[in-house]
Amino acid sequence: MKELVDALKVVLADTFALYLKAHYFHWNIEGSNFVQYHGFLDGLYNEVWGAVDAVAEHIRTLDAYAPGSFTRFKELTTITDELAIPSAIAMLTKLEADNQKVIDSLTKAYKLAESANKCGLSNFLQDRIDTHEKHSWMLRSIVKA
Ligand SMILES: [Fe+2]
Protein backbone atom coordinates (compact mmCIF):
# COMPACT_ATOMS: atom_id res chain seq x y z
CA MET A 1 0.00 0.00 0.00
CA LYS A 2 2.92 2.36 0.65
CA GLU A 3 3.90 2.17 -3.01
CA LEU A 4 0.38 3.21 -4.02
CA VAL A 5 0.32 6.10 -1.51
CA ASP A 6 3.74 7.28 -2.72
CA ALA A 7 2.57 7.15 -6.34
CA LEU A 8 -0.54 9.17 -5.43
CA LYS A 9 1.61 11.81 -3.74
CA VAL A 10 3.49 12.20 -7.03
CA VAL A 11 0.14 12.48 -8.84
CA LEU A 12 -0.90 15.22 -6.39
CA ALA A 13 2.36 17.17 -6.80
CA ASP A 14 2.30 16.77 -10.59
CA THR A 15 -1.34 17.84 -10.80
CA PHE A 16 -0.61 20.91 -8.68
CA ALA A 17 2.51 21.73 -10.73
CA LEU A 18 0.61 21.48 -14.02
CA TYR A 19 -2.19 23.61 -12.58
CA LEU A 20 0.28 26.28 -11.41
CA LYS A 21 2.16 26.41 -14.71
CA ALA A 22 -1.07 26.64 -16.75
CA HIS A 23 -2.26 29.50 -14.53
CA TYR A 24 1.13 31.23 -14.74
CA PHE A 25 1.03 30.99 -18.53
CA HIS A 26 -2.61 32.16 -18.57
CA TRP A 27 -1.43 35.37 -16.90
CA ASN A 28 1.62 35.95 -19.08
CA ILE A 29 0.96 34.55 -22.56
CA GLU A 30 1.24 37.06 -25.42
CA GLY A 31 0.75 37.11 -29.18
CA SER A 32 -1.75 37.71 -31.94
CA ASN A 33 -3.87 34.76 -30.68
CA PHE A 34 -3.85 36.13 -27.13
CA VAL A 35 -7.61 35.96 -26.65
CA GLN A 36 -7.81 32.28 -27.68
CA TYR A 37 -4.67 31.28 -25.75
CA HIS A 38 -5.73 33.17 -22.62
CA GLY A 39 -9.20 31.61 -22.74
CA PHE A 40 -7.92 28.10 -23.46
CA LEU A 41 -5.48 28.27 -20.54
CA ASP A 42 -8.30 29.50 -18.29
CA GLY A 43 -10.19 26.30 -19.03
CA LEU A 44 -7.08 24.15 -18.60
CA TYR A 45 -5.92 25.49 -15.24
CA ASN A 46 -9.44 25.43 -13.83
CA GLU A 47 -10.00 21.81 -14.90
CA VAL A 48 -6.67 20.65 -13.44
CA TRP A 49 -7.19 22.69 -10.26
CA GLY A 50 -10.52 20.95 -9.82
CA ALA A 51 -8.75 17.59 -9.50
CA VAL A 52 -6.22 18.61 -6.83
CA ASP A 53 -8.60 18.26 -3.87
CA ALA A 54 -9.93 14.88 -5.02
CA VAL A 55 -6.41 13.43 -5.37
CA ALA A 56 -5.48 14.64 -1.87
CA GLU A 57 -8.65 13.17 -0.39
CA HIS A 58 -7.94 9.80 -2.04
CA ILE A 59 -4.59 9.85 -0.20
CA ARG A 60 -6.48 10.49 3.07
CA THR A 61 -8.88 7.66 2.19
CA LEU A 62 -5.85 5.35 2.20
CA ASP A 63 -5.15 6.64 5.75
CA ALA A 64 -2.04 8.58 4.75
CA TYR A 65 -1.43 12.32 5.05
CA ALA A 66 -1.55 14.48 1.93
CA PRO A 67 1.46 16.71 1.20
CA GLY A 68 0.58 20.40 0.69
CA SER A 69 3.69 22.58 0.78
CA PHE A 70 5.85 24.01 -2.00
CA THR A 71 8.84 22.22 -0.46
CA ARG A 72 7.19 18.79 -0.57
CA PHE A 73 5.58 19.38 -3.97
CA LYS A 74 8.97 20.36 -5.40
CA GLU A 75 10.51 17.19 -3.97
CA LEU A 76 7.72 14.98 -5.32
CA THR A 77 6.85 16.41 -8.73
CA THR A 78 8.24 15.13 -12.02
CA ILE A 79 7.47 18.54 -13.63
CA THR A 80 10.17 21.20 -13.93
CA ASP A 81 9.39 24.58 -12.36
CA GLU A 82 9.14 27.47 -14.84
CA LEU A 83 10.86 30.76 -14.05
CA ALA A 84 10.96 32.32 -17.53
CA ILE A 85 8.28 33.79 -19.78
CA PRO A 86 8.55 31.60 -22.91
CA SER A 87 6.95 32.43 -26.26
CA ALA A 88 3.30 31.42 -26.65
CA ILE A 89 4.05 28.26 -28.68
CA ALA A 90 6.86 27.31 -26.29
CA MET A 91 4.45 27.67 -23.36
CA LEU A 92 1.91 25.36 -24.98
CA THR A 93 4.64 22.88 -26.00
CA LYS A 94 5.90 22.79 -22.41
CA LEU A 95 2.37 22.23 -21.11
CA GLU A 96 1.90 19.36 -23.55
CA ALA A 97 5.08 17.67 -22.28
CA ASP A 98 4.11 18.31 -18.65
CA ASN A 99 0.61 17.00 -19.25
CA GLN A 100 2.19 13.78 -20.55
CA LYS A 101 4.18 13.52 -17.30
CA VAL A 102 0.91 13.74 -15.37
CA ILE A 103 -0.50 10.93 -17.53
CA ASP A 104 2.60 8.84 -16.78
CA SER A 105 2.25 9.43 -13.01
CA LEU A 106 -1.46 8.68 -13.16
CA THR A 107 -0.84 5.47 -15.12
CA LYS A 108 1.71 4.27 -12.57
CA ALA A 109 -0.72 4.95 -9.71
CA TYR A 110 -3.59 3.35 -11.65
CA LYS A 111 -1.65 0.09 -12.10
CA LEU A 112 -0.86 -0.01 -8.37
CA ALA A 113 -4.50 0.72 -7.49
CA GLU A 114 -5.60 -2.16 -9.72
CA SER A 115 -3.10 -4.51 -8.05
CA ALA A 116 -4.41 -3.43 -4.63
CA ASN A 117 -8.05 -3.98 -5.72
CA LYS A 118 -8.88 -0.35 -4.94
CA CYS A 119 -11.71 -0.18 -7.48
CA GLY A 120 -13.01 3.31 -6.64
CA LEU A 121 -9.55 4.84 -6.76
CA SER A 122 -8.75 2.92 -9.92
CA ASN A 123 -11.92 4.31 -11.54
CA PHE A 124 -11.01 7.88 -10.46
CA LEU A 125 -7.49 7.52 -11.90
CA GLN A 126 -8.88 6.14 -15.17
CA ASP A 127 -11.13 9.19 -15.46
CA ARG A 128 -8.20 11.52 -14.79
CA ILE A 129 -6.11 9.76 -17.46
CA ASP A 130 -8.96 10.14 -19.93
CA THR A 131 -9.30 13.86 -19.16
CA HIS A 132 -5.55 14.47 -19.48
CA GLU A 133 -5.50 12.57 -22.80
CA LYS A 134 -8.08 15.11 -23.97
CA HIS A 135 -5.84 17.96 -22.75
CA SER A 136 -3.01 16.35 -24.78
CA TRP A 137 -5.13 16.35 -27.92
CA MET A 138 -6.01 20.02 -27.53
CA LEU A 139 -2.46 21.15 -26.71
CA ARG A 140 -1.06 19.12 -29.65
CA SER A 141 -3.63 20.64 -31.98
CA ILE A 142 -2.90 24.21 -30.90
CA VAL A 143 0.88 23.78 -31.22
CA LYS A 144 0.68 22.10 -34.66
CA ALA A 145 1.84 24.50 -37.37
FE1 LIG B 1 -7.78 35.00 -15.50
Side-chain angles (χ1 to χ4, degrees):
M1 196 63 70
K2 185 183 181 305
E3 217 185 337
L4 173 58
V5 167
D6 288 346
L8 272 182
K9 288 179 180 177
V10 175
V11 168
L12 178 60
D14 279 353
T15 303
F16 193 92
L18 180 64
Y19 148 72
L20 183 62
K21 200 179 286 189
H23 207 155
Y24 175 54
F25 289 168
H26 164 79
W27 293 327
N28 293 300
I29 201 161
E30 294 173 314
S32 55
N33 293 322
F34 169 78
V35 174
Q36 288 98 320
Y37 291 155
H38 186 67
F40 171 78
L41 291 173
D42 185 283
L44 181 64
Y45 84 70
N46 272 297
E47 195 291 320
V48 177
W49 169 253
V52 168
D53 188 61
V55 176
E57 292 186 0
H58 273 289
I59 293 171
R60 295 294 297 129
T61 301
L62 295 174
D63 205 23
Y65 291 113
S69 66
F70 285 119
T71 303
R72 281 295 286 140
F73 280 167
K74 197 149 192 266
E75 287 167 357
L76 288 162
T77 187
T78 66
I79 292 175
T80 310
D81 198 24
E82 182 63 62
L83 299 173
I85 308 286
S87 70
I89 293 299
M91 283 181 177
L92 296 161
T93 304
K94 282 168 183 275
L95 289 175
E96 190 203 352
D98 291 345
N99 185 63
Q100 188 55 53
K101 288 181 183 170
V102 178
I103 293 172
D104 294 345
S105 302
L106 282 162
T107 303
K108 186 178 175 192
Y110 161 71
K111 287 175 182 166
L112 291 165
E114 283 282 291
S115 301
N117 287 319
K118 294 290 179 188
C119 301
L121 174 57
S122 167
N123 184 57
F124 168 74
L125 293 168
Q126 281 182 332
D127 286 346
R128 289 308 306 157
I129 290 166
D130 193 41
T131 299
H132 282 280
E133 297 278 10
K134 202 167 176 183
H135 294 327
S136 278
W137 157 51
M138 293 190 181
L139 287 161
R140 265 200 323 273
S141 299
I142 296 169
V143 165
K144 194 170 181 180

